[in-house]
Amino acid sequence: SFLIFAFLVYLFLGRYHYHRVSCYRGDIALAFMMLYGNASATKQGEEVSGDNFTYTELGTGEVLLGIVDGMGSGVAAGEDSEIVIELLEELLKAGFDEEAALALINSVLLTRKKEQSLAAIDMAVGDLYTGRFNFVKLGAAATFIKRNRWVEVLRSTNYPIGILKNVDYESTVKKLYDGDYVVMVSDGILDAVAQSEKEELLSEWISEYDKKNPKEFAQYILNKAIAEAKGRTNDDMTVLVAGIWTKHS
């Protein structure tokens, strides 16, 4: 409930003072703009997806993009991922940095009455003045950065949030340039690929795609994954694609 959340925030503020450094930049124009698109499919036999995604403007030229995959599928998994998404958005908008936000969300999940609330997080906080993005992963599927035909893969080897008392996350900062794309997927996309080199095949799909519309790009990847699984959706599948372009005055 909100009261429990408010109480946790009160306790948390007493222990930590981590805030994202966001400089006021007056009338300076943003150097970049982003457009995003998503595509998704729900696991066969389920009415509700356990995946949720976000693309949110945080203010002062920053954006949050990410996919949260609740463990399992159906209503319970969807509730877990929705809670994580909502808290991420609100805490980052309020000025918390990523570490502090994730620590608080982890506390919320650990104190829920359910038997266990877990969620894999794939997120990035980006600065549209500089093009610098901080990619953060907790137990999530690979993220792909596309630059022309070149594709970089960001991997995660840690646990989802909601398991350990202390959050174990991996982060890396990347500078994005005009025409780059960020491609995030839930594990249902990679699990649809039968071959062992799943990330390599997905990189090939991403590399060969040459259109600019992020929504069509996301749908293309989803269609390829479903075709690879011979039309079956054995898990929730979510794709989020965000493209970045230089703003012209």
Side-chain angles (χ1 to χ4, degrees):
S1 71
F2 179 77
L3 288 176
I4 294 174
F5 170 60
F7 178 66
L8 284 169
V9 170
Y10 172 77
L11 292 178
F12 189 80
L13 287 174
R15 295 173 56 197
Y16 298 98
H17 300 283
Y18 297 154
H19 288 269
R20 219 170 50 252
V21 177
S22 298
C23 299
Y24 175 68
R25 309 182 203 191
D27 296 327
I28 300 174
L30 295 175
F32 298 96
M33 59 174 285
M34 288 199 92
L35 296 174
Y36 78 94
N38 69 287
S40 61
T42 302
K43 179 181 178 180
Q44 289 178 349
E46 297 284 0
E47 295 183 2
V48 177
S49 174
D51 298 342
N52 272 287
F53 79 94
T54 184
Y55 179 91
T56 303
E57 296 181 358
L58 301 175
T60 64
E62 291 182 306
V63 295
L64 163 69
L65 57 148
I67 291 177
V68 176
D69 182 356
M71 293 297 101
S73 59
V75 174
E79 288 177 351
D80 289 341
S81 62
E82 184 176 12
I83 287 171
V84 172
I85 286 285
E86 290 178 353
L87 291 178
L88 270 177
E89 292 172 347
E90 295 306 316
L91 290 169
L92 293 176
K93 283 180 182 178
F96 287 92
D97 67 12
E98 294 90 320
E99 181 180 358
L102 291 171
L104 179 52
I105 292 168
N106 190 58
S107 297
V108 171
L109 293 182
L110 288 173
T111 55
R112 292 189 76 199
K113 291 182 179 179
K114 289 174 55 180
E115 185 172 313
Q116 194 172 45
S117 297
L118 310 178
I121 299 178
D122 193 5
M123 60 178 278
V125 174
D127 185 330
L128 297 182
Y129 285 99
T130 64
R132 289 170 61 85
F133 278 69
N134 184 32
F135 291 85
V136 178
K137 304 178 79 64
L138 290 97
T143 298
F144 303 82
I145 299 174
K146 173 180 169 66
R147 181 168 301 146
N148 299 317
R149 294 287 183 178
W150 174 80
V151 177
E152 181 178 4
V153 183
L154 306 180
R155 298 176 175 87
S156 172
T157 58
N158 53 7
Y159 293 107
I161 200 166
I163 296 179
L164 305 176
K165 184 176 180 181
N166 296 315
V167 178
D168 173 30
Y169 72 93
E170 298 169 350
S171 67
T172 183
V173 175
K174 296 291 180 180
K175 175 79 167 70
L176 301 185
Y177 297 91
D178 180 59
D180 286 355
Y181 290 87
V182 175
V183 179
M184 294 179 171
V185 299
S186 63
D187 60 6
I189 295 292
L190 288 172
D191 290 345
V193 178
Q195 68 182 57
S196 59
E197 304 299 325
K198 300 173 185 290
E199 295 167 4
E200 286 73 8
L201 181 58
L202 197 57
S203 294
E204 289 179 16
W205 298 347
I206 293 169
S207 174
E208 69 189 19
Y209 191 79
D210 59 3
K211 298 177 183 177
K212 293 186 176 181
N213 186 302
K215 174 67 175 177
E216 294 176 358
F217 196 171
Q219 190 64 52
Y220 160 82
I221 294 171
L222 178 64
N223 292 344
K224 294 281 281 188
I226 292 175
E228 189 74 17
K230 297 179 172 52
R232 297 188 299 272
T233 53
N234 296 323
D235 193 3
D236 300 317
M237 297 181 177
T238 300
V239 185
L240 176 63
V241 176
I244 188 167
W245 290 274
T246 301
K247 287 191 74 173
H248 299 289
S249 56

